[in-house]
Amino acid sequence: MHKFNALLRAQVALLAALGLQGAHAQTAIVIGGALRYDNEVVWQRIVDEAGGAQKARFAVLATASASPERSAELIVQALQRHGAHAEHIPVAPRLEGSDVKKNLADPDLIDKVRASNAVFFSGGAQGLIVDTFQPDGRATPMLEAIWDVYRDGGVVAGTSAGAAIMSRTMFRDALDVMQVMRGQMREGQEIDQGLGFVGDRLFVDQHFLKRGRIGRMLPLMLAKGYRLGLGVEENSAAVVQGQQIEIIGGRGALLVDLRDARTDPGLPGFNVQGARLSYLDHGDRHNLQSGVTTPNRRKTPVPDPVLPRSAGQSAPSWAHGPVDTFQPDILGDNRIVQAMSELITSPAGEVRAMASRVRPGATEPKDRMGFVFRLYRGEGTRGWFNTDGPADDLTLLNVRLDVRPVPLPPPPALTEPSRSGATSTSRADRLGTSAMMALGTVPPSAGAEGPAGETLPLGGAAGTGGAPGSAGGDR
């Protein structure tokens, strides 16, 4: 009997390790920010993972928000519309009239968290979440209660800032992707400890494709020793349960795999060779244990293009094919996925792109460093598409990526007005906006800067940190 019980325990442990422990597995839902309140697929899935209508009980924490009462109210309403019980737990530094330290230790509030089977973190500034629940790296009693809910098979969901805290390491305040690529990655400033709900081996980031955050993910993964990174796009989510990841929602997520990646210490800045990029869209699944991705059944494999061969070669030249296109700003909205798609659907051997934004007046060599991105095929590079759906409903696997630093010329200065009062034709006028963007002297149009450096998406309102009709916020 003793041997039988030991064997049974071992089988249960194995099932847990493989993420097959059933409906009561702990579940992290990483939402990429700007989650629209009319996104029925994501909101319903959040509630379903917590037991469904009438069984799901959410503790809502708007700790990160600039307007916590309003943010919590909207999230509670969205969850209730999908059948859940939801209550705002008032622990937020910016909540008017509240005592954060007192509320953190309030036995009644802690009991309400423990009585829930799901926790939802709003968007905003992720530093407020970790500073509140994990000051100086020490868990508060309320954070312990959240972990108890999670370990007992519950759900922890978070959008934007609430997604950033899901891994052990997070970006705290690193809005300038190029500065991270140029080496600005300081503990307690650009990066910090997260809360770690997705475990030690997976790094997550949010607003990923919209804001070109591949440029900041790669340096952090190399610096912190992560092999896998998951960048979730806006209005989309990754459901992480055991060893399984499923992508749901509006757009998708980028999976970064550095298993074969290497760097050249002789180069004068951040560089990587042999990174693997995979784009997963709604309904696609990835197994962290086996490394196998399963595209949604609605998709059809992309036919292999006719690849060029060198003289006497019996197989395509993966590494040295001709350049098909050149992307002037790989950090632009969804540009990395566009480049991956072009590579897989084109007979060319590679696609190249630039990250080359330079601030006016930059004089230091490190501030005038750009990066060449080279995407190319390798073993296992494949694609799937939805023949009956939108053109961007894709699955793209195992695209290889190299990144190398390159020096950039100083930004061109505009000429002074002529004596006649007319401004003479400047270099900017001669080159045009698109060329100037390639040189990095035209700022990206992803958003405007609000108070205290908050990035406000176009169409959003100060203090909401999100687009109209969305549960947003972000750093």
Side-chain angles (χ1 to χ4, degrees):
M1 177 62 79
H2 176 73
K3 289 183 178 180
F4 174 78
N5 289 338
L7 179 61
L8 183 61
R9 286 195 299 271
Q11 289 175 333
V12 171
L14 178 60
L15 289 173
L18 293 175
L20 301 174
Q21 56 271 63
H24 298 290
Q26 59 193 35
T27 303
I29 303 179
V30 184
I31 306 161
L35 176 61
R36 296 191 61 86
Y37 290 107
D38 60 1
N39 189 329
E40 296 294 321
V41 170
V42 173
W43 285 106
Q44 192 60 60
R45 181 63 176 272
I46 293 169
V47 172
D48 289 346
E49 288 295 338
Q54 307 308 316
K55 294 182 180 179
R57 304 182 306 280
F58 279 84
V60 175
L61 294 160
T63 311
S65 178
S67 304
E69 192 165 10
R70 179 59 175 160
S71 294
E73 179 185 9
L74 292 172
I75 292 167
V76 166
Q77 289 174 358
L79 294 168
Q80 289 176 340
R81 282 197 302 271
H82 292 84
H85 300 283
E87 181 176 356
H88 176 207
I89 306 299
V91 178
R94 295 172 177 171
L95 184 61
E96 188 175 352
S98 72
D99 186 329
V100 175
K101 289 186 178 180
K102 179 181 177 182
N103 289 356
L104 272 172
D106 187 325
D108 291 337
L109 292 179
I110 292 173
D111 286 346
K112 286 183 178 182
V113 172
R114 291 189 191 279
S116 68
N117 59 11
V119 177
F120 192 108
F121 287 97
S122 79
Q126 50 262 38
L128 293 177
I129 299 176
V130 296
D131 292 349
T132 299
F133 291 102
Q134 190 174 265
D136 300 319
R138 296 190 300 271
T140 59
M142 186 164 285
L143 179 57
E144 292 291 356
I146 294 168
W147 270 103
D148 286 345
V149 171
Y150 188 57
R151 292 189 185 106
D152 197 35
V155 172
V156 173
T159 181
S160 191
I165 55 94
M166 292 287 184
S167 46
R168 290 287 179 196
T169 302
M170 71 174 194
F171 280 110
R172 181 184 178 95
D173 194 358
L175 295 177
D176 192 330
V177 173
M178 286 297 296
Q179 288 303 100
V180 175
M181 295 187 76
R182 291 168 179 149
Q184 187 168 301
M185 196 161 49
R186 298 162 293 185
E187 295 283 350
Q189 296 187 56
E190 285 78 24
I191 59 175
D192 208 339
Q193 284 187 330
L195 300 186
F197 294 109
V198 298
D200 297 326
R201 296 190 299 167
L202 180 66
F203 174 72
V204 297
D205 204 357
Q206 20 71 49
H207 295 277
F208 196 77
L209 302 176
K210 182 74 175 178
R211 303 188 186 179
R213 288 180 166 175
I214 181 66
R216 75 180 196 176
M217 176 180 276
L218 288 166
L220 183 144
M221 289 178 66
L222 289 170
K224 294 296 183 179
Y226 280 99
R227 200 199 88 176
L228 289 174
L230 186 67
V232 185
E233 177 54 339
E234 295 181 354
N235 203 31
S236 308
V239 180
V240 184
Q241 191 174 75
Q243 299 298 319
Q244 297 286 342
I245 298 174
E246 182 181 354
I247 306 303
I248 59 173
R251 204 148 159 195
L254 195 72
L255 184 69
V256 179
D257 186 340
L258 300 186
R259 77 178 88 165
D260 300 321
R262 60 198 184 280
T263 62
D264 183 349
L267 291 175
F270 160 70
N271 67 93
V272 66
Q273 296 85 46
R276 297 182 184 220
L277 306 182
S278 296
Y279 174 70
L280 282 61
D281 210 329
H282 177 75
D284 294 341
R285 298 171 181 265
H286 180 81
N287 187 290
L288 294 169
Q289 186 80 13
S290 66
V292 173
T293 298
T294 306
N296 191 293
R297 288 181 296 176
R298 69 181 180 274
K299 295 178 184 176
T300 302
V302 175
D304 290 333
V306 178
L307 297 170
R309 288 174 168 80
S310 302
Q313 245 187 347
S314 59
S317 177
W318 298 111
H320 303 290
V323 177
D324 179 42
T325 61
F326 188 90
Q327 296 267 2
D329 184 12
I330 194 63
L331 303 183
D333 183 2
N334 205 41
R335 290 290 179 84
I336 188 69
V337 174
Q338 291 172 6
M340 294 167 66
S341 177
E342 288 179 19
L343 175 74
I344 285 184
T345 58
S346 164
E350 64 182 68
V351 172
R352 294 199 182 194
M354 278 292 294
S356 56
R357 298 170 184 172
V358 178
R359 294 176 182 270
T363 57
E364 293 295 322
K366 69 179 181 63
D367 294 327
R368 291 190 285 107
M369 183 180 292
F371 300 87
V372 174
F373 282 59
R374 173 175 169 259
L375 295 93
Y376 55 99
R377 295 183 183 87
E379 198 67 36
T381 301
R382 296 192 64 191
W384 285 258
F385 69 107
N386 184 356
T387 56
D388 299 321
D392 59 354
D393 188 5
L394 300 166
T395 304
L396 310 170
L397 300 185
N398 291 311
V399 170
R400 302 306 198 272
L401 171 67
D402 296 348
V403 183
R404 287 176 61 89
V406 292
L408 297 172
L414 298 177
T415 59
E416 294 293 327
S418 66
R419 292 182 181 178
S420 64
T423 303
S424 60
T425 302
S426 67
R427 184 180 177 191
D429 295 326
R430 293 195 304 270
L431 290 177
T433 301
S434 61
M436 292 299 291
M437 285 190 70
L439 290 173
T441 56
V442 176
S445 59
E449 191 170 283
E454 263 188 283
T455 295
L456 305 176
L458 296 179
T464 64
S470 69
D474 145 83
R475 285 283 180 189

